Amino acid sequence: MGPSISSRLRGRFSRYAVVLAEADVACNQVTFFLEDVTLHREIKASRVEDLCPANAYEFRVQNGTSIDLRTSGSMLIAGKTTGVIALLLQALLAGPDGHGSQVLIIDPKQAEPSRLPRVVSLNADGDARAILSALSRFADSIKERQSFLNDRSTETGDAVHWWDAGLHVSLLFMDEYVALRTLFPKRASKEDPDYCLATFDGLVKRIVTMGGERGLLRHHLDRRGVC
């Protein structure tokens, strides 16, 4: 019904469309919410202060819409790279928490961003050993953060959420994820048994599995990037 209602709006309501429909449990009543879809809600910032988050767990996606990581630790998001950059900047502006939180960006293209701090790229000879090392350190930091939360839970006698413990978000952004996987050899050599695709996939699975309860924001951006 939503698209049908939207297509029939005329006159002073022509800019409106159904953006949400809610039904009661018995489906006896359906409520349609309409908004002016021509309004521009993108974030426009001319100063660094304009992007500073209000707290360490809530980031703006657009004006009027925010991600609350206390209820949305694992998300599947489709969007433009500029939207991810806005999240990265907000996470950086939130600052570290003193318990290993970090913003790690992996750029295998060796483009201009690879020269920035916190960005890991390929080595000069084209291998990706530095990327594996960075992922391994990131995974270790998650273990340390969980150990801290476990200790706090033991002290209080109840489960302690990362935001209640004063932890900030740890964020891993991997650009060109599909292309990055092709850089690792499928079979490890005897000289360097850890440098292979299996090691890379294992680290990623380990981070994704452990990250949900430790303040790790995970974001998937089509086939080119994963964060």
Side-chain angles (χ1 to χ4, degrees), residues 54-98:
N55 48 60
Y57 50 79
E58 190 173 7
F59 296 155
R60 285 190 298 159
V61 177
Q62 61 182 12
N63 290 327
T65 304
S66 298
I67 296 176
D68 190 339
L69 300 178
R70 295 173 300 177
T71 58
S72 303
S74 300
M75 295 162 288
L76 179 63
I77 305 173
K80 298 180 179 180
T81 302
T82 51
V84 181
I85 292 175
L87 294 177
L88 290 172
L89 291 175
Q90 291 179 73
L92 286 169
L93 290 170
D97 56 18

Side-chain angles (χ1 to χ4, degrees), residues 138-183:
F138 193 90
D140 290 341
S141 72
I142 297 177
K143 290 179 58 178
E144 295 176 4
R145 289 162 68 82
Q146 182 59 43
S147 178
F148 168 73
L149 287 178
N150 290 342
D151 292 341
R152 288 293 305 273
S153 298
T154 301
E155 294 171 2
T156 61
D158 196 2
V160 177
H161 297 295
W162 61 268
W163 55 86
D164 292 329
L167 298 183
H168 292 188
V169 167
S170 269
L171 195 149
L172 169 63
F173 175 76
M174 303 175 68
D175 196 15
E176 301 290 349
Y177 178 70
V178 175
L180 176 58
R181 292 185 73 253
T182 64
L183 298 177

Side-chain angles (χ1 to χ4, degrees), residues 116-132:
L116 298 175
R118 298 185 179 87
V119 179
V120 181
S121 187
L122 304 179
N123 294 332
D125 58 0
D127 74 64
R129 287 179 173 82
I131 293 176
L132 281 184

